[in-house]
Amino acid sequence: MTPTHCPYCALQCGMNLAEEAGGRLTVEARPDFPTNKGGLCQKGWTAADLLSHPDRLLTPLVRGSKDSTLRPATWDAALDRVTAAIQASQATYGLDSVGIFGGGGLTNEKAYWLGKFARVALRTPHIDYNGRFCMASEAAAGLKAFGIDRGLPFPLEDIPGAEAILLIGGNPAETMPPIMQYFERQRENGGALIVADPRRTATAEIATLHLQLSPGTDLALANGLLHVAAADGLLDQEFIASRTTGWESVRRIIASFWPDRVERITGVPSTQIIKAAHLLGEAGTAMALTARGAGQQSKGTDNTLAFINLMLALGKAGKPHCGYGCITGQGNGQGGREHGQKADQLPGYRKIDNPAHRAHIAGVWGVEESTLPGVGRSAYELLESLGQENGVRALMVMASNLAVSAPRALHVQEQLRSLDFLCVSDIFLSETAKLADVVLPIAQWAEEDGTMTNLEGRVIRRQAAKSRPGEVWTDAMIVTALAERLGAGRYFPTAEPAQIFEELRLASAGGAADYSGITYERIAAENGVFWPCPSETHPGTPRLFLDKFAHEDGRAKFHAVHHRTAAEEPDDDFPLYLTTGRVMAQYQSGTQTRRIDALLKIAPEPFAEIHPALAQRFGIADNDAIVLTTRRGEARMKARLTPTIRQDTIFAPFHWGGEACANNLTNPALDPTSKMPEFKVCAVRIERA
Ligand code: SF4
């Protein structure tokens, strides 16, 4: 029996893997683990089916030429090919012509090793990861407002004690079911749950109040709530004066967000806006939690800042059972960026353009600070540069299925095809791997050790429960072997996760995300350790900001943010809103979950949710084949009629590729600060197929 964690989302539910006769592993929930407390969703229960799946890649694949097919090859042949392609690109186009695209599912050790590999072995600035598409806006807002970015600055255990909670753009009842026990306890304690979402989701169904706002109007809603709170005397003036800066500029902006105006912008009745403001303002303790609905917009950072403004003005931050938090999506979306996978960051949440931060990391790595590259391109900007002059010509992709998960996916596929060389590491032949020149088969979650950082900032440990099959390697083995071939082997002396973690601890020491006091032994003994943890005698930090915020003056900052429309609004040609998201029985691009029979039975095919009144206007019946079209492309799926969605909005899950890919439709308009694409709102046309 091996205690470990689910391979999917950021709740990182604790589970045991038990071995049956014949070597098959089965999943048992861990009642003793403090986050899921014995709960698992259907994805977790079936996760072990991935390990012995017949589609599993067991040997490297190499394409002889662009027109030929992928064929099995030895590791030596595959790695020689990758090395030659990197060196050829560097020699012809320079160091910046090689790029890396990582994943939010990689362990901290792998994310750290990959970031170091980019900067030390490849010496390229161009590394980013699909976590940029997950919670970059919330991260940027957290840094601006609080001086530090940690998804939840408090443990889940604080949720039941909040007298009021505002949940914006998240549907954890479907995407993260075990977390609902905290919200259910909050309701049992008499707390109010307010859900803001264009859909009456399973989460909205259990809410005290559902604010069914129009896509892309979150910021106006937040400013409207703050307007009411200010007008009705619900603000905490003492907190504003003693623990924050910048209130005056926000006060001037929210003055014009009176409820009738906000109703016209958002579609939320003014009576509901007033009621929500009073529920939050009159509660002794309150939280605002955002998820992808608010963050995945071209103004996602400002959306988040507006909800942070609300909590600061109400004095509901920096206290137990209070605050703003982000519900992270991907398994290691948090740790993945803390340790160097993001184009602008170095390990320990250091900044790559800060001389002191660069000097510290260069010292740990044993290189000259001047040899470290600067800030690289963000994820979508990196994809836009592929194959272009002065762009990336050779790309390594680890644990990411861009061909399905990136916005404007058809264009991204063209960009991937335009590369001189593409190497993809994955466990299955994903839609992205099918485009590669070299495919490297890698170990899965239960076949290697490593740490993850969950949505609370709790560092937890995944343990290997079985050996790797076939000729499968770990990502760290690949990085170490390539570094050796590229002449940088002395900087990558190991592929052992425990040894890499020891170096990560040194690199993170003194940084915002300080892991230096965290050890594998402590993680096991304490059911995870919260960062920052600057020494082995430090208890870890479950709650941030109790005494002060992380800015130099110890105060949180208000930010004056204005409502503006989405980058693309409905018009005569594309008269409706499209929004995208997840369903319970599938995960992200579906590379894993679309291969699990039990999950396919629950969520077998792509669909679009349409209000019956809207469907009638277009002569569409339930289950009809439909075509959705935007300025980026089209996608075909079945119509699912439901009165739970707004009449001006269509919802499509993004778990499928090919002609059903919802990301064929989405808009890559970027948030200027976080560089988050606008996955959550664009203009769409609907027709029967
Ligand atoms: Fe896995 Fe997330 Fe489901 Fe828990 S909630 S079992 S971590 S997918």
Side-chain angles (χ1 to χ4, degrees):
M1 179 96 71
T2 308
T4 188
H5 295 270
C6 174
Y8 297 116
C9 83
L11 194 54
Q12 285 295 293
C13 292
M15 58 170 61
N16 290 318
L17 287 174
E19 192 168 338
E20 288 183 337
R24 188 173 175 276
L25 291 176
T26 55
V27 169
E28 294 174 3
R30 278 179 62 189
D32 62 312
F33 197 73
T35 55
N36 56 312
K37 301 180 193 294
L40 290 176
C41 77
Q42 199 63 20
K43 297 186 288 288
W45 285 116
T46 57
D49 295 3
L50 289 170
L51 297 164
S52 52
H53 197 282
D55 290 355
R56 187 79 191 273
L57 292 173
L58 297 174
T59 183
L61 303 172
V62 172
R63 201 184 296 278
S65 67
K66 283 283 176 197
D67 301 329
S68 61
T69 53
L70 286 163
R71 293 187 188 285
T74 65
W75 272 99
D76 267 343
L79 293 177
D80 284 349
R81 176 79 186 280
V82 177
T83 307
I86 289 170
Q87 290 173 331
S89 194
Q90 289 174 330
T92 310
Y93 302 107
L95 296 174
D96 290 9
S97 68
V98 180
I100 292 193
F101 202 101
L106 295 178
T107 61
N108 291 318
E109 291 81 353
K110 293 194 282 191
Y112 172 79
W113 224 220
L114 196 57
K116 180 179 174 183
F117 177 73
R119 277 71 180 233
V120 173
L122 298 178
R123 297 185 54 197
T124 178
H126 299 310
I127 172 168
D128 217 83
Y129 81 132
N130 61 18
R132 177 80 70 169
F133 298 157
C134 179
M135 54 178 291
S137 296
E138 294 90 334
L143 282 173
K144 279 177 166 235
F146 304 127
I148 199 168
D149 148 41
R150 196 180 86 184
L152 294 179
F154 42 73
L156 290 170
E157 204 46 65
D158 271 13
I159 289 175
E163 290 179 24
I165 296 177
L166 173 60
L167 173 61
I168 308 108
N171 182 18
E174 275 209 70
T175 58
M176 204 179 262
I179 203 177
M180 292 310 291
Q181 59 190 295
Y182 295 94
F183 293 98
E184 282 155 13
R185 280 167 53 202
Q186 187 246 357
R187 294 299 314 278
E188 285 160 16
N189 291 342
L193 175 63
I194 305 160
V195 172
D197 199 304
R199 303 161 62 215
R200 194 169 79 240
T201 60
T203 313
E205 282 288 351
I206 66 155
T208 316
L209 185 60
H210 175 206
L211 311 177
Q212 196 162 15
L213 76 175
S214 182
T217 63
D218 310 66
L219 203 163
L221 176 66
N223 281 358
L225 292 169
L226 188 45
H227 172 101
V228 174
D232 293 358
L234 300 171
L235 304 189
D236 186 338
Q237 300 293 354
E238 198 279 323
F239 183 91
I240 292 171
S242 64
R243 298 204 57 186
T244 71
T245 56
W247 164 243
E248 261 315 297
S249 59
V250 172
R251 191 185 62 78
R252 282 194 294 273
I253 282 182
I254 54 112
S256 64
F257 282 82
W258 52 90
D260 288 352
R261 178 180 173 221
V262 175
E263 175 175 333
R264 284 196 297 280
I265 296 171
T266 63
V268 178
S270 58
T271 49
Q272 292 187 0
I273 295 166
I274 294 166
K275 183 174 178 189
H278 278 262
L279 282 172
L280 292 165
E282 289 166 9
T285 50
M287 293 176 175
L289 303 173
T290 63
R292 303 299 79 72
Q296 287 182 325
Q297 296 183 30
S298 61
K299 56 178 182 297
T301 305
D302 285 356
N303 285 344
T304 311
L305 286 168
F307 288 106
I308 293 174
N309 286 343
L310 175 65
M311 301 319 288
L312 292 177
L314 295 175
K316 304 292 196 306
K319 304 169 183 174
H321 313 290
C322 285
Y324 161 78
C326 158
I327 300 181
T328 303
Q330 291 195 90
N332 203 26
Q334 178 78 45
R337 70 176 175 281
E338 288 165 6
H339 300 298
Q341 263 193 110
K342 216 171 169 190
D344 52 348
Q345 288 179 195
L346 289 171
Y349 227 120
R350 289 186 164 85
K351 292 182 176 163
I352 203 165
D353 55 358
N354 178 311
H357 292 188
R358 292 169 62 87
H360 172 84
I361 295 298
V364 173
W365 288 351
V367 299
E368 289 295 321
E369 181 265 318
S370 59
T371 65
L372 294 179
V375 178
R377 295 187 180 98
S378 71
Y380 191 76
E381 292 170 318
L382 173 59
L383 299 179
E384 276 289 18
S385 86
L386 300 184
Q388 309 299 308
E389 202 179 335
N390 299 322
V392 165
R393 315 287 298 230
L395 181 71
M396 288 180 62
V397 176
M398 281 195 167
S400 187
N401 189 10
L402 298 164
V404 175
S405 63
R408 200 183 171 197
L410 291 168
H411 173 67
V412 167
Q413 289 161 29
E414 285 307 311
Q415 294 291 98
L416 290 168
R417 286 192 191 94
S418 75
L419 283 164
D420 296 339
F421 179 77
L422 174 63
C423 173
V424 175
S425 308
D426 212 323
I427 54 178
F428 297 117
L429 196 63
S430 68
E431 286 81 355
T432 309
K434 284 178 185 165
L435 303 174
D437 299 287
V438 173
V439 179
L440 303 176
I442 50 167
Q444 288 198 44
W445 56 292
E447 296 163 355
E448 59 178 333
D449 284 337
T451 60
M452 306 281 279
T453 304
N454 83 349
L455 77 176
E456 306 168 285
R458 184 196 303 258
V459 183
I460 49 117
R461 185 169 166 213
R462 278 195 191 158
Q463 292 198 68
K466 70 185 285 287
S467 54
R468 288 175 272 118
E471 295 173 41
V472 161
W473 282 21
T474 68
D475 298 276
M477 288 167 69
I478 293 169
V479 165
T480 299
L482 284 174
E484 180 69 37
R485 280 172 160 77
L486 291 164
R490 64 187 181 284
Y491 302 111
F492 297 84
T494 181
E496 284 303 314
Q499 291 173 21
I500 297 172
F501 190 73
E502 289 305 308
E503 190 182 302
L504 182 159
R505 291 175 62 198
L506 283 178
S508 75
D514 191 333
Y515 282 38
S516 58
I518 303 175
T519 64
Y520 278 16
E521 293 72 28
R522 279 192 68 181
I523 294 172
E526 299 171 31
N527 271 330
V529 181
F530 289 82
W531 70 259
C533 181
S535 74
E536 289 189 35
T537 55
H538 188 283
T541 316
R543 290 185 186 85
L544 296 169
F545 315 141
L546 291 182
D547 303 325
K548 58 182 180 143
F549 294 95
H551 287 302
E552 261 180 28
D553 61 3
R555 290 166 178 253
K557 286 185 184 165
F558 280 100
H559 286 80
V561 285
H562 295 265
H563 167 70
R564 51 199 183 276
T565 57
E568 185 180 77
E569 287 285 321
D571 57 19
D572 289 347
D573 295 330
F574 302 96
L576 301 165
Y577 286 111
L578 172 75
T579 191
T580 62
R582 294 208 272 134
V583 298
M584 190 270 283
Q586 296 291 344
Y587 183 69
Q588 307 298 62
S589 74
T591 307
Q592 297 162 94
T593 50
R594 279 188 273 129
R595 288 181 163 86
I596 306 268
D597 289 343
L599 299 179
L600 278 173
K601 279 197 184 107
I602 303 168
E605 59 183 1
F607 63 89
E609 282 188 359
I610 306 165
H611 193 282
L614 178 66
Q616 195 177 24
R617 256 176 64 199
F618 290 89
I620 292 167
D622 196 31
N623 242 0
D624 273 357
I626 56 164
V627 186
L628 299 176
T629 309
T630 68
R631 290 182 177 84
R632 272 71 55 195
E634 63 176 42
R636 291 165 182 266
M637 52 193 78
K638 292 266 182 73
R640 182 176 291 179
L641 271 51
T642 171
T644 57
I645 190 162
R646 288 176 58 91
Q647 294 191 28
D648 57 1
T649 303
I650 293 170
F651 167 78
F654 57 77
H655 308 295
W656 287 271
E659 65 172 18
C661 182
N663 277 320
N664 291 350
L665 307 166
T666 46
N667 189 354
L670 298 183
D671 179 296
T673 306
S674 67
K675 308 295 181 183
M676 168 69 81
E678 189 143 77
F679 287 101
K680 279 294 181 279
V681 47
C682 69
V684 68
R685 183 168 68 223
I686 182 170
E687 292 150 297
R688 281 180 65 182

